[in-house]
Amino acid sequence: MHSTNLLLEEPIRMASILEPSKTSFFPAMTKIVGTLGPKSRSVDTISSCLKAGMSVARFDFSWGDAAYHQETLENLKLAIKSTKKLCAVMLDTVGPELQVVNKSETPISLEENGTVVLTPHQGQEASSSVLPINFSGLAKALKPGATIFIGQYLFTGSETTSVWLEVSEVKGDDVVCIIKNTATLAGSLFTLHCSQIHIDLPTLSDEDKDVIRKWGAPNKIDFLSLSYTRHAEDVREAREFLTKLGDLSQTQIFAKIENVEGLNHFDEILAEADGIILSRGNLGIDLPPEKVFLFQKSALHKCNMAGKPAVVTRVVDSMTDNLRPTRAEATDVANAVLDGSDAILLGAETLRGLYPVETITTVGRICAEAEKVFNQDLYYKRTVKYVGEPMTHLESIASSAVRAAIKVKASVIICFTSSGRAARLIAKYRPSMPVLSVVIPRLKTNQLKWSFTGAFEARQSLIVRGLFPMLADPRHPAESTSATNESVLKVALDHGKASGVIKSHDRVVVCQKVGDSSVVKIIELDD
């Protein structure tokens, strides 16, 4: 276990705990992924979410059709334009998710010790005695004694809105279950999860492929959240599919780890994916509750050392209906930051929650406070030791830039990059100051037309802790040795000053390519 990066060497003074939190241009180094839906899809609300600190907008295709999500996306574009805040787009697939369909939307009451039948015959009406499901092979996968959970937006832990079933017998295609707790299921759709059972369905379904082809490709999505990733092969197949679509060849794939099967193959999945989403809602059911924190710490450490973004979900469930998180939830957010997560993903809290903007603001504040006591020095030494020697050229430059910034107490690191890789490597060492990633567009052609790269690379850094992207003027090449590079630096410095992160007499570390050489330099600003 690697969980020693909790506090700074100096003890925390009580006076600092009593000081009010200070707001800044960058609400927190840790990023916030917000799911857009019924309560968060108007231009005004999305604008407020962006100002509050949301940097990635998630579109969950478990519900809602493409037209509905397109309308939301158009509103997001208007909000980005009006707020001048960059935001990335994440498409979340349905995957092999088992669902109970309640066409009438009448609340279904289930009583403890009663029985209910799960049937693949979807023509039947959902009731307290029969629940129609979307998978005909369930009876083949289950045996008496197996555990099943059913709930809306999965399981918040509230025993009144989700139900726990135990399989008593299998009759043909039907599964007869004993109800273990009294609950009322409300809504049109409930997710069904069989604990530690392999479901023989493809990770990327035909429906998912259709959505990616018809909605994802035209909208050039930045991230694909691959639900229920179970093997590295799932990621490879998804990448092959995206590459064939052309426009999505640069889209990053985030593997969503939701069950023990994905957990067993975690190392291979991490090697193949661009990032990881720890879906603690499902994992908290597949794993005993006392094991969830161990998985979180272990998985985040592995992601950190691989330099791949890690996203944690299900941290402030109670804010779906309340203006304040519970004390335990506030601590949970802080621990996710101290454990090394890059981003916090909000699901129901922003999708259908009553307080989407307040939730983002609150989570951002907690992250910022946790970042103040993150033991950066210990983390840096541990990462350098893990990487070992000889380092690659780029890794050496990145670690040197961070070390220089710490030694001279720089207020910011500015990194010139075209692929985004150099900036991500700098962020891997978790500097205590923001990294301004100046993405220099490159001209490319597919033999039919010329186009500039850069927008993808800039937006994809919006999920990496501590990275804040800027898109440079394409007339300024990244490798320029002339004065053009200085003018791009001036733009970056002006942006930093306007943001309030750079002041007179501050030191700034700049990482850039000059000719064939990579250079790290320290500059001290005048008045």
Side-chain angles (χ1 to χ4, degrees), residues 32-41 46 49 54 56-61 63 69 72 90 92 153 256 313 344-353 356 360:
I32 297 174
V33 181
T35 306
L36 301 185
K39 297 289 186 185
S40 55
R41 64 191 300 259
I46 297 173
C49 287
M54 178 181 81
V56 180
R58 172 176 170 257
F59 292 79
D60 185 359
F61 275 80
W63 61 275
H69 289 299
T72 308
M90 175 182 280
D92 201 314
Y153 299 101
K256 212 168 171 191
T313 71
I344 302 292
L345 189 152
L346 302 171
E349 303 98 324
T350 54
L351 177 132
R352 61 184 175 93
I360 292 167

Side-chain angles (χ1 to χ4, degrees), residues 243-255:
T243 304
K244 284 177 185 169
L245 292 175
D247 282 339
L248 298 186
S249 58
Q250 286 180 273
T251 297
Q252 290 188 349
I253 298 173
F254 274 56

Side-chain angles (χ1 to χ4, degrees), residues 159-180:
E159 290 302 309
T160 57
T161 58
S162 60
V163 69
W164 167 29
L165 308 175
E166 186 182 297
V167 176
S168 62
E169 62 175 315
V170 175
K171 285 185 176 177
D173 288 341
D174 293 349
V175 179
V176 182
C177 301
I178 298 164
I179 301 163
K180 305 299 280 186

Side-chain angles (χ1 to χ4, degrees), residues 374-419:
F374 183 79
N375 193 334
Q376 199 284 328
D377 184 51
L378 185 65
Y379 179 91
Y380 178 86
K381 287 173 183 170
R382 200 176 73 191
T383 309
V384 169
K385 187 178 177 183
Y386 180 89
V387 171
E389 293 176 0
M391 280 186 174
T392 63
H393 174 79
L394 207 51
E395 190 106 37
S396 172
I397 291 292
S399 59
S400 300
V402 175
R403 187 171 182 274
I406 293 163
K407 292 290 182 189
V408 303
K409 290 188 164 50
S411 56
V412 73
I413 298 172
I414 295 176
C415 176
F416 292 84
T417 179
S418 50
S419 67

Side-chain angles (χ1 to χ4, degrees), residues 124-339:
Q124 292 197 43
E125 195 68 47
S127 68
S128 54
S129 58
V130 177
L131 296 175
I133 61 170
N134 66 340
F135 177 49
S136 58
L138 189 65
K140 293 189 186 80
L142 294 172
K143 291 176 182 169
T147 302
I148 296 172
F149 292 89
I150 296 174
Q152 190 187 34
Y153 299 101
L154 262 182
F155 320 97
T156 59
S158 169
E159 290 302 309
T160 57
T161 58
S162 60
V163 69
W164 167 29
L165 308 175
E166 186 182 297
V167 176
S168 62
E169 62 175 315
V170 175
K171 285 185 176 177
D173 288 341
D174 293 349
V175 179
V176 182
C177 301
I178 298 164
I179 301 163
K180 305 299 280 186
N181 67 288
T182 298
T184 300
L185 303 178
S188 61
L189 204 64
F190 318 119
T191 304
L192 181 148
H193 184 89
C194 303
S195 185
Q196 301 201 21
I197 299 291
H198 172 76
I199 299 301
D200 194 16
L201 283 171
T203 300
L204 199 62
S205 68
D206 289 342
E207 290 80 6
D208 288 329
K209 288 178 179 176
D210 202 46
V211 162
I212 294 166
R213 194 183 294 111
K214 292 177 181 172
W215 191 89
N219 291 309
K220 296 185 178 177
I221 55 165
D222 302 295
F223 303 109
L224 180 75
S225 166
L226 192 61
S227 295
Y228 295 93
T229 304
R230 295 166 286 187
H231 302 271
E233 189 56 37
D234 296 339
V235 182
R236 283 192 285 270
E237 285 174 11
R239 199 177 304 283
E240 194 180 323
F241 178 71
L242 294 182
T243 304
K244 284 177 185 169
L245 292 175
D247 282 339
L248 298 186
S249 58
Q250 286 180 273
T251 297
Q252 290 188 349
I253 298 173
F254 274 56
K256 212 168 171 191
I257 308 298
E258 311 200 45
N259 53 29
V260 166
E261 212 172 339
L263 205 59
N264 286 333
H265 302 103
F266 185 83
D267 290 350
E268 306 97 271
I269 291 169
L270 175 61
E272 201 65 46
D274 296 300
I276 296 286
I277 297 173
L278 312 183
S279 186
R280 302 189 315 169
N282 279 355
L283 268 171
I285 289 161
D286 248 22
L287 283 174
E290 67 272 18
K291 297 285 188 182
V292 176
F293 87 96
L294 283 170
F295 163 68
Q296 177 172 310
K297 288 180 183 297
S298 174
L300 289 178
H301 172 71
K302 287 180 176 184
C303 291
N304 291 165
M305 293 305 105
K308 293 187 177 183
V311 183
V312 170
T313 71
R314 306 303 293 269
V315 286
V316 284
D317 286 330
S318 73
M319 288 195 79
T320 305
D321 304 305
N322 300 301
L323 200 47
R324 285 166 64 91
T326 65
R327 268 69 63 200
E329 287 173 333
T331 305
D332 195 19
V333 175
N335 279 329
V337 173
L338 296 175
D339 287 345

